[in-house]
Amino acid sequence: GNSVTQMEGPVTLSEEAFLTINCTYTATGYPSLFWYVQYPGEGLQLLLKATKADDKGSNKGFEATYRKETTSFHLEKGSVQVSDSAVYFCALSDYGRGADGLTFGKGTHLIIQP
Amino acid sequence: EAGVTQSPTHLIKTRGQQATLRCSPISGHTSVYWYQQALGLGLQFLLWYDEGEERNRGNFPPRFSGRQFPNYSSELNVNALELEDSALYLCASSPGLAGYNEQFFGPGTRLTVL
């Protein structure tokens, strides 16, 4: 079946540090890949997406590249801010299996200290 | 454009009761997804409705059920509530199959079972 694995954290960084959150996946078909962010007390917001191999998704200074050879979709940001503190979820949607809904990783809690 | 809305924000029930949660999708979206976000279990896919029909369900017992109305809004019903049903229930909508379109999430309903 489909699965997504990501570091759970918490990950604590200082403001302006470089961020990497690793995400790897297993899928039987041709997945689309997503990063969602959840701020305290809120629902999920789509951060970025990539629908095919070698696509790069980017938004708000975050980026992730769909690497089919390593089945990875790592999230990166060059300089984090305190306002980036949130929980980040890597997810996939596998069209080859039909619309089963998104398969999520367990989420990475990111804490940015001033 | 209004986002996905959910009601109520919070719901407190006792074991054995029934809970009804409601979701209104983004205008023009025909698919509605329900997810459970329980502490320690991450986000799990519950149900998918499209064009008024249940299209797929996750690995949950039959006491989790729902429906989609002609205006594409949706209801999630949880019968015979158990303590472990306490969770944040998130609704998401998309224009169609998740493989092609990202899902847009509502703020969630926090269900507490006492």
Side-chain angles (χ1 to χ4, degrees):
Chain A
N2 297 336
S3 67
V4 174
T5 303
Q6 61 179 113
M7 53 207 297
E8 291 184 35
V11 173
T12 304
L13 296 173
S14 297
E15 203 165 23
E16 299 183 2
F18 184 85
L19 169 71
T20 300
I21 300 177
N22 290 337
C23 170
T24 57
Y25 68 89
T26 302
T28 54
Y30 307 96
S32 294
L33 301 174
F34 306 86
W35 277 100
Y36 281 85
V37 59
Q38 186 175 33
Y39 298 101
E42 298 184 12
L44 273 69
Q45 299 176 24
L46 178 68
L47 184 58
L48 53 84
K49 71 173 182 177
T51 58
K52 61 182 187 297
D54 300 324
D55 267 2
K56 177 186 282 188
S58 61
N59 186 29
K60 300 181 181 179
F62 291 90
E63 26 178 70
T65 302
Y66 187 162
R67 302 283 189 203
K68 190 175 181 181
E69 64 276 12
T70 54
T71 62
S72 65
F73 192 55
H74 304 322
L75 182 68
E76 296 182 336
K77 186 176 185 182
S79 177
V80 292
Q81 305 300 313
V82 171
S83 57
D84 294 327
S85 299
V87 181
Y88 292 80
F89 292 91
C90 185
L92 72 83
S93 176
D94 188 351
Y95 177 63
R97 281 174 49 85
D100 286 356
L102 292 166
T103 300
F104 286 91
K106 290 191 177 298
T108 300
H109 186 193
L110 177 64
I111 300 169
I112 307 300
Q113 296 178 333
Chain B
E1 179 183 290
V4 177
T5 59
Q6 292 187 245
S7 63
T9 306
H10 299 277
L11 190 57
I12 300 175
K13 295 285 186 179
T14 56
R15 197 168 48 182
Q17 285 188 313
Q18 179 196 45
T20 298
L21 289 64
R22 296 179 178 81
C23 171
S24 291
I26 290 171
S27 177
H29 288 191
T30 62
S31 278
V32 170
Y33 297 79
W34 287 95
Y35 294 85
Q36 182 195 66
Q37 187 177 22
L39 203 60
L41 295 178
L43 276 150
Q44 295 182 283
F45 166 67
L46 255 169
L47 289 159
W48 170 42
Y49 293 94
D50 184 69
E51 297 286 358
E53 300 285 332
E54 181 181 303
R55 302 295 182 179
N56 207 351
R57 65 183 294 129
N59 189 25
F60 282 84
R63 58 191 187 83
F64 287 85
S65 65
R67 54 181 171 166
Q68 186 178 34
F69 299 98
N71 66 354
Y72 302 114
S73 67
S74 176
E75 230 174 51
L76 172 68
N77 295 296
V78 188
N79 293 319
L81 284 165
E82 300 179 1
L83 297 178
E84 52 266 34
D85 296 333
S86 294
L88 181 66
Y89 289 84
L90 293 169
C91 169
S93 74
S94 77
L97 289 176
Y100 292 124
N101 299 286
E102 62 263 34
Q103 295 178 21
F104 297 84
F105 283 79
T109 293
R110 170 98 33 210
L111 173 64
T112 302
V113 182
L114 302 174

